[in-house]
Amino acid sequence: MINKCKLFIFDLDGVITDTAEYHYLAWKKLTDELGYKFSIHDNERLKGVSRIHSLEIILDINNSTEKYSEQEKIRLANKKNDYYLELLKNITPKDLLPGIEDLLDKLKKYNIKTAIASASKNAFTVINYLGINDKFDYIVNANEIKNSKPAPDVFLKAAEVLEVNNQNCICIEDASAGIKAIKAAGMYAVGIGNIQNFKEADVIFSSTNELNLEKILLDFNK
Ligand code: BG6
Ligand code: MG
């Protein structure tokens, strides 16, 4: 079989490690302090979405958008980030999600390049705690991306830097905004999680544990 996959692009939060849970806990702490409602169900809407946009969604849920100036919103988003950074200190190399190390080893064996395309401005901090800096050919810096997910920019940037055509990229995401970004980039989308969140995904696995590279490649190369 000729393999046309030349680049495999990973989302970080919720795919490589379970920081999705830490994002939730940090927002929960902030919303509890403010007396706002914010459930694990609401949190699904925040996955893959930028920090400030996440805050705007929370304020919208609580009919409080008008209460804050742009400066006050930045102050609240910074506060959430301080809580998040505290939680990140718990991360060690043991916190790679199951199946990810195995997938990276196989990609290397098949000579497929790898990249991380995260919406997080803390991505390099997380990657440092996990000790996986040297496992990827390129890590996109979210600070340099103009439009965040669901815009395709972060995925396009990885392909551009590594000089791979969009049709030769497979990307993996745990968020609806991320899957939309992948499809907008004209790339193949692997979804991790609940099937209802990923109508546009090409293939879905319920968790990273279930990932099957051979199955993905077989479908991709059809
Ligand atoms: C994404 C997460 O990866 O990064 C979102 O899924 C988060 O939940 C976004 O809001 C931005 O992260 P950060 O670390 O820049 O606040
Ligand atoms: Mg994610």
Side-chain angles (χ1 to χ4, degrees), residues 85-214:
L85 287 174
E86 248 338 277
L87 291 166
L88 287 187
K89 289 182 183 161
N90 295 318
I91 297 182
T92 73
K94 286 193 188 126
D95 290 312
L96 275 185
L97 279 170
I100 295 299
E101 193 157 20
D102 198 38
L103 175 60
L104 284 167
D105 288 346
K106 280 187 180 165
L107 290 166
K108 203 174 191 92
K109 198 174 92 191
Y110 292 150
N111 248 331
I112 299 171
K113 289 180 188 170
T114 52
I116 294 182
S118 172
S120 170
K121 294 184 171 152
N122 297 302
F124 287 95
T125 307
V126 173
I127 290 159
N128 273 327
Y129 281 130
L130 289 170
I132 54 169
N133 314 48
D134 55 353
K135 289 207 182 259
F136 294 88
D137 294 293
Y138 186 65
I139 298 166
V140 181
N141 183 349
N143 293 294
E144 290 172 2
I145 296 299
K146 192 159 163 251
N147 304 301
S148 45
K149 300 170 188 177
D153 304 29
V154 69
F155 292 101
L156 293 175
K157 178 79 180 175
E160 183 197 316
V161 171
L162 293 171
E163 299 180 328
V164 176
N165 285 332
N166 307 0
Q167 315 90 273
N168 299 113
C169 297
I170 297 179
C171 311
I172 180 165
E173 262 288 351
D174 71 319
S176 166
I179 297 286
K180 288 197 174 83
I182 297 169
K183 295 319 290 178
M187 297 174 182
Y188 183 97
V190 180
I192 298 292
N194 193 325
I195 200 159
Q196 286 158 353
N197 298 333
F198 306 129
K199 296 203 177 65
E200 304 96 333
D202 294 286
V203 62
I204 297 165
F205 298 94
S206 56
S207 73
T208 54
N209 220 355
E210 308 296 318
L211 274 168
N212 181 334
L213 181 61
E214 285 72 25

Side-chain angles (χ1 to χ4, degrees), residues 13 23 46-51 54 80-81 84 118-122:
D13 294 321
H23 277 296
L46 272 43
K47 287 187 179 172
V49 170
S50 74
R51 195 180 309 162
S54 298
K80 177 265 175 178
N81 198 49
Y84 181 61
S118 172
S120 170
K121 294 184 171 152
N122 297 302

Side-chain angles (χ1 to χ4, degrees), residues 24 27-28 30-43 45-46 54-55 57-64:
Y24 169 68
W27 282 122
K28 187 72 190 149
L30 183 78
T31 49
D32 281 353
E33 280 170 11
L34 295 169
Y36 288 159
K37 58 177 185 207
F38 176 58
S39 67
I40 193 92
H41 174 73
D42 297 328
N43 189 57
R45 291 176 59 193
L46 272 43
S54 298
L55 175 68
I57 293 173
I58 291 171
L59 293 179
D60 184 51
I61 290 169
N62 288 277
N63 296 318
S64 297

